[in-house]
Amino acid sequence: MSYTPPKVWTWDAENGGKFASINRPTAGATHDKDLPTGKHPLQLHSLATPNGVKVTVLLEELLAAGHAADYDAWLIDIGEGDQFSSGFVDVNPNSKIPALFDKSTGVRVFESGAILLYLAEKYRAFLPQDIEGRTETLNWLFWLQGSAPYLGGGFGHFYAYAPEKFEYPINRFSMEAKRQLDVLNQQLEDFEFIAGDHYTIADMAIAPWYGALVQGALYGDSATFLDTASYEHVNRWADTVMSRPAYQRGRMVNRKWGEAHEQLHERHDASDFDTKTKDKTAAE
């Protein structure tokens, strides 16, 4: 069925599909609610979507490397509209997770790529200090920030979430998702990690999206649909990065789905991974 756009578009909440209740064409808070705050300088407000995972992975990697980067991670349930509270909007006026507030500096940081860069610079870790290595890492970090919307909002939306399946957008975004996988595959043919021979914030940014995709963890049967097994070097890299202990911990933080032992709704101490996962708290 063809669609003729009206002369002036107007919002109809009934046509929003799965996410109709949390999407709207205006910004700002819908209700007053302060954000909680914990004992650590770094206060993260997030959910374990790919954009949320990239930040918690970095925080866990920083701690594993011996940096004083302990943090409180508070759950933002976007399905319940937590991102539209006045407290969250004060930290991120765009009402998207993740958002970070650093009590030690008074700095708010929003947009996941900006949070990665802020933390990498603050702790001088996982971002090369030489101009060539730093630039190559940022090349791939910004590549991810520009490419992931095609994978998530494009391919993922029309393949997995749209209320109806339409051939044109699925074909359009499948082509782009496969092109992006080929970009990564060709880069990783020559290097162990995305930006070269060192593990960086570029790997942490890309793995929750494209690593999860090739491992079959995004959008139902999309790995089969996109034949992700054919991207040999991406698969090798994904296995390497996503098997790291800090990555495994980071993907659990603020997670509300999957196996109960992999869900840590909030994280305030390293011991929470052993004592506060959903399987432990459900038994209380």
Side-chain angles (χ1 to χ4, degrees):
M1 180 183 299
S2 63
Y3 167 68
T4 302
K7 186 171 183 179
V8 177
W9 182 84
T10 57
W11 180 45
D12 182 355
E14 298 299 317
N15 294 331
K18 180 177 179 178
F19 303 105
S21 64
I22 62 170
N23 286 327
R24 57 197 173 98
T26 56
T30 60
H31 59 283
D32 289 327
K33 185 179 180 181
D34 293 335
L35 290 177
T37 187
K39 62 184 178 180
H40 301 300
L42 298 174
Q43 300 292 301
L44 179 69
H45 305 274
S46 191
L47 182 69
T49 66
N51 285 333
V53 167
K54 65 176 80 160
V55 174
T56 48
V57 165
L58 173 55
L59 287 164
E60 290 299 323
E61 290 283 8
L62 288 168
L63 290 169
H67 297 280
D70 221 338
Y71 65 102
D72 292 284
W74 305 93
L75 179 68
I76 297 296
D77 190 336
I78 62 175
E80 297 297 321
D82 293 351
Q83 70 275 32
F84 300 121
S85 73
S86 56
F88 190 86
V89 171
D90 283 345
V91 181
N92 185 356
N94 195 40
S95 291
K96 302 290 184 181
I97 62 94
L100 178 75
F101 185 75
D102 186 345
K103 294 194 297 183
S104 68
T105 60
V107 170
R108 73 174 186 182
V109 197
F110 60 91
E111 289 297 317
S112 56
I115 296 173
L116 293 184
L117 184 55
Y118 176 82
L119 292 172
E121 291 186 330
K122 178 182 176 76
Y123 295 101
R124 296 177 65 83
F126 301 110
L127 178 63
Q129 298 301 302
D130 66 285
I131 187 66
E132 181 178 359
R134 175 186 169 85
T135 301
E136 184 66 3
T137 300
L138 294 182
N139 285 341
W140 289 103
L141 175 62
F142 286 107
W143 175 89
L144 180 279
Q145 296 301 116
S147 297
Y150 286 96
L151 178 58
F155 171 76
H157 178 80
F158 287 104
Y159 179 78
Y161 300 134
E164 298 179 70
K165 297 290 190 287
F166 292 103
E167 182 177 7
Y168 176 80
I170 291 175
N171 284 342
R172 169 66 179 87
F173 290 110
S174 296
M175 178 188 68
E176 179 61 15
K178 288 183 71 66
R179 188 193 69 81
Q180 293 170 358
L181 285 167
D182 197 43
V183 170
L184 293 174
N185 203 57
Q186 292 188 39
Q187 172 71 4
L188 289 163
E189 183 175 6
D190 298 322
F191 299 103
E192 182 178 4
F193 297 106
I194 290 292
D197 296 323
H198 298 286
Y199 179 56
T200 70
I201 55 173
D203 300 284
M204 300 177 211
I206 296 170
W209 283 102
Y210 296 87
L213 180 67
V214 300
Q215 290 194 345
L218 285 183
Y219 312 130
D221 199 31
S222 62
T224 300
F225 181 75
L226 294 174
D227 187 25
T228 64
S230 65
Y231 300 96
E232 172 187 356
H233 307 295
V234 179
N235 278 273
R236 182 268 308 161
W237 162 83
D239 290 343
T240 297
V241 171
M242 300 174 77
S243 65
R244 293 173 66 94
Y247 191 101
Q248 290 295 310
R249 290 192 298 275
R251 66 181 290 275
M252 295 168 60
V253 178
N254 299 142
R255 188 177 180 88
K256 281 201 65 183
W257 51 84
E259 298 292 333
H261 69 277
E262 295 184 334
Q263 295 185 41
L264 183 62
H265 290 184
E266 292 185 0
R267 186 266 188 219
H268 305 289
D269 188 85
S271 64
D272 291 348
F273 291 100
D274 298 319
T275 63
K276 298 290 180 65
T277 52
K278 186 180 178 182
D279 59 318
K280 305 290 196 318
T281 58
E284 294 177 354

